[in-house]
Amino acid sequence: MKNIAKAIIQVMAEVKGMEKNSKVGTGQSAYDGTKDQDVKEVFNDALQRNGLCILPIDIKETTQIERWVDKYESQKQSVFTKVTVKYMLLHESGESIELMGYGHGVDPQDKGAGKATTYALKNCLLYSFLTPVGKIDD
């Protein structure tokens, strides 16, 4: 495990932090977030430089669908998907470790699973490499 540990520590040294550079949602529900593309670009470069790749190897998923009729008599639905994804972090030496990520997504149609798996990978990368996101006020 010496090679993979050294590579992980190097990625941690290279990826110092990320900014919350995206507004998610609207109105009072809006919040600042970090774009999936930005996370993948930063980590893809750092992982590659250090001989690492990450592969999804198992997904546990649950989906809840709620349907209702709104005040205009229109059919509505919400699809809530939760996933726990197991990843293999593989080093070019052949050493590997398993990582986990959790994500959830809500969509009125079929994009909940994509949102959930995207969030799971972001969480896995950010937490596994202890990457701070945004400014911490406390």
Side-chain angles (χ1 to χ4, degrees), residues 80-91:
F80 178 73
T81 305
K82 295 188 296 186
V83 297
T84 302
V85 183
K86 186 186 297 183
Y87 299 95
M88 179 185 296
L89 184 65
L90 181 63
H91 187 259

Side-chain angles (χ1 to χ4, degrees), residues 61-138:
E61 170 268 337
T62 59
T63 299
Q64 296 173 309
I65 300 173
E66 292 184 28
R67 292 185 174 97
W68 68 93
V69 176
D70 69 7
K71 65 182 180 180
Y72 303 108
E73 303 294 322
S74 296
Q75 291 281 337
K76 300 289 182 181
Q77 80 172 8
S78 175
V79 180
F80 178 73
T81 305
K82 295 188 296 186
V83 297
T84 302
V85 183
K86 186 186 297 183
Y87 299 95
M88 179 185 296
L89 184 65
L90 181 63
H91 187 259
E92 62 191 11
S93 68
E95 297 173 0
S96 66
I97 61 169
E98 289 185 1
L99 304 174
M100 297 290 286
Y102 169 81
H104 61 270
V106 178
D107 193 78
Q109 295 181 3
D110 63 348
K111 294 177 188 69
K115 291 176 181 181
T117 54
T118 295
Y119 194 51
L121 179 58
K122 278 175 54 174
N123 278 335
C124 179
L125 290 169
L126 293 171
Y127 284 98
S128 294
F129 293 97
L130 302 176
T131 307
V133 178
K135 293 179 176 44
I136 299 172
D137 295 331
D138 49 76

Side-chain angles (χ1 to χ4, degrees), residues 42-74:
V42 168
F43 278 101
N44 187 45
D45 290 345
L47 293 171
Q48 183 179 358
R49 278 191 301 273
N50 291 285
L52 294 166
C53 69
I54 188 166
L55 307 167
I57 57 174
D58 188 38
I59 298 175
K60 302 282 189 241
E61 170 268 337
T62 59
T63 299
Q64 296 173 309
I65 300 173
E66 292 184 28
R67 292 185 174 97
W68 68 93
V69 176
D70 69 7
K71 65 182 180 180
Y72 303 108
E73 303 294 322
S74 296

